[in-house]
Amino acid sequence: MEDLVRGQEFTKQVHMQLQGSEIPVGKEILDSVAKILECLENAISKFSSSESTGEVCQSPALTTVDSPFSDCRKIEETGKIRAMVTPKKIGSNKRRRTANAREELTATPFDDGHSWRKYGQKDILNSGFPRGYFRCTHRDQGCEALKQVQRTGEEEPAMSRVTYIGEHTCKDQFRGPRLSIDSNPRGTCVLNFQSNCYSPKLEFPFSPSFSTVEHEFKGDTKNTIANHNNKDSFKSYEFAAWCDLSAFNSSQTTSMMPSTSGSELGDGISGLYSSAESNPNFHMDMIVDDMFDPSEFLNSSS
DNA sequence: ACAATTTGACCACT
DNA sequence: AGTGGTCAAATTGT
């Protein structure tokens, strides 16, 4: 609930900034932001009403405990018989407990700082889009965090409702504040450095202008995003752009990037991460034209 | 070879 | 019986 309200506030700020911006902003973008605001308001009002009745996320109360060894199955498939005797874990019922569940409305897809492994996909009635089921890749460490991603409609940019179930108990800590890129139809990008991109995250897919930036970044391996461990974070339509911004804070460089250790990326942006981490109020926006050349930028700033 | 994703089947729940 | 959540073999990617 708190997150929803924060998200609403952030979205309002973005909306006001876009409206008051000297840079021409596409009507579609303003419309999209207005829609997001509307969705958030709906979600908040629904949540408020369900909270008072003890419900969580519109889901029915769920039972979770079964006999731990009740799942003895035989499956016939293409003439073969596979006998599976899989002890059922307590709490691993088909219907999940949704306590600790929270929902976010996000652009599709986005990097929430954790690594997820897809374990299923299901067509959902009347939704038109399949729902994806993800679990934390560190499930072997006992991390039970799950998320479900459901695209909400045909709108562009594509938006998805992401439901997080359970908290991360693994060591794959939040990778820290992210550098995200937004762009308007004119080809200008906004790099948004935020100290805590928690929820909800309001992000938009790339317009072709980003591919220009990405291409130019790839010209220099030190500034590249190509070798990142978590390649999923860098699908062409996603936001994170990474570059060596250690010029901003070389003295405080401390790696905050356990998940990228060994990659040049981690070295490259650790300064940015540490500076942002060390200052909870760190917040910086940059306007970047699509002819932006990171090497020139770095030369001029050093 | 290993890791991640896809996909069809199973099962709990309504 | 219909639906949604999960499992795990098969497939695909690196």
Side-chain angles (χ1 to χ4, degrees):
Chain A
M1 180 65 179
E2 213 174 294
D3 291 335
L4 281 172
V5 174
R6 281 179 55 210
Q8 188 186 30
E9 282 166 9
F10 287 138
T11 314
K12 277 180 185 167
Q13 284 173 23
V14 170
H15 198 225
M16 283 162 58
Q17 282 169 14
L18 287 175
Q19 282 178 323
S21 171
E22 289 175 9
I23 308 154
V25 176
K27 185 176 180 299
E28 300 89 329
I29 301 224
L30 280 171
D31 284 349
S32 299
V33 176
K35 278 183 195 166
I36 294 165
L37 257 177
E38 197 181 317
C39 292
L40 281 169
E41 278 164 19
N42 287 342
I44 288 167
S45 62
K46 279 183 192 167
F47 200 97
S48 307
S49 57
S50 67
E51 226 179 20
S52 58
T53 60
E55 265 180 51
V56 180
C57 292
Q58 306 126 17
S59 300
L62 304 171
T63 57
T64 56
V65 179
D66 241 1
S67 161
F69 297 97
S70 64
D71 189 17
C72 301
R73 297 185 278 180
K74 254 190 193 174
I75 301 170
E76 265 185 89
E77 189 178 78
T78 60
K80 282 189 296 187
I81 296 177
R82 286 182 291 157
M84 300 194 302
V85 183
T86 47
K88 184 180 270 186
K89 279 180 275 179
I90 292 175
S92 69
N93 228 357
K94 299 292 175 183
R95 295 287 161 108
R96 282 248 159 202
R97 189 202 304 270
T98 52
N100 294 329
R102 65 179 194 280
E103 284 187 358
E104 296 181 10
L105 191 66
T106 73
T108 306
F110 77 103
D111 175 17
D112 58 16
H114 287 287
S115 49
W116 299 94
R117 178 180 215 152
K118 191 173 187 177
Y119 66 89
Q121 179 170 305
K122 196 82 181 173
D123 286 323
I124 300 301
L125 203 72
N126 298 327
S127 129
F129 298 95
R131 177 177 298 167
Y133 298 90
F134 300 82
R135 65 167 62 101
C136 178
T137 53
H138 300 98
R139 198 193 191 203
D140 55 343
Q141 294 172 16
C143 183
E144 296 278 322
L146 299 174
K147 82 170 175 180
Q148 300 175 357
V149 179
Q150 172 77 62
R151 186 166 169 181
T152 56
E154 295 280 0
E155 74 273 340
E156 289 297 333
M159 298 301 290
S160 291
R161 186 178 305 283
V162 181
T163 305
Y164 293 91
I165 301 164
E167 298 294 330
H168 284 273
T169 56
C170 60
K171 299 276 188 236
D172 182 22
Q173 294 301 319
F174 212 60
R175 288 203 303 264
R178 294 168 307 146
L179 165 56
S180 58
I181 287 191
D182 188 11
S183 58
N184 67 27
R186 219 179 106 255
T188 301
C189 297
V190 179
L191 297 183
N192 178 27
F193 300 80
Q194 220 174 327
S195 61
N196 186 2
C197 298
Y198 203 42
S199 60
K201 301 174 189 73
L202 301 165
E203 302 174 352
F204 305 90
F206 290 123
S207 73
S209 61
F210 178 69
S211 59
T212 307
V213 175
E214 181 183 34
H215 180 76
E216 289 178 1
F217 274 32
K218 281 179 179 168
D220 179 348
T221 53
K222 198 169 183 185
N223 299 327
T224 191
I225 65 174
N227 294 325
H228 189 259
N229 288 352
N230 188 358
K231 57 185 180 306
D232 289 341
S233 307
F234 294 104
K235 299 263 169 68
S236 61
Y237 36 67
E238 261 206 284
F239 269 173
W242 310 83
C243 58
D244 186 348
L245 292 168
S246 55
F248 284 106
N249 190 340
S250 55
S251 61
Q252 295 181 44
T253 299
T254 313
S255 178
M256 303 297 289
M257 300 284 293
S259 64
T260 57
S261 58
S263 76
E264 296 190 61
L265 167 72
D267 296 340
I269 65 173
S270 55
L272 168 62
Y273 270 90
S274 63
S275 61
E277 285 287 335
S278 62
N279 179 2
N281 298 318
F282 183 85
H283 189 129
M284 176 172 62
D285 287 339
M286 295 171 64
I287 306 299
V288 182
D289 193 78
D290 59 359
M291 295 306 289
F292 171 67
D293 180 345
S295 57
E296 280 178 26
F297 168 72
L298 292 169
N299 288 340
S300 62
S301 63
S302 57

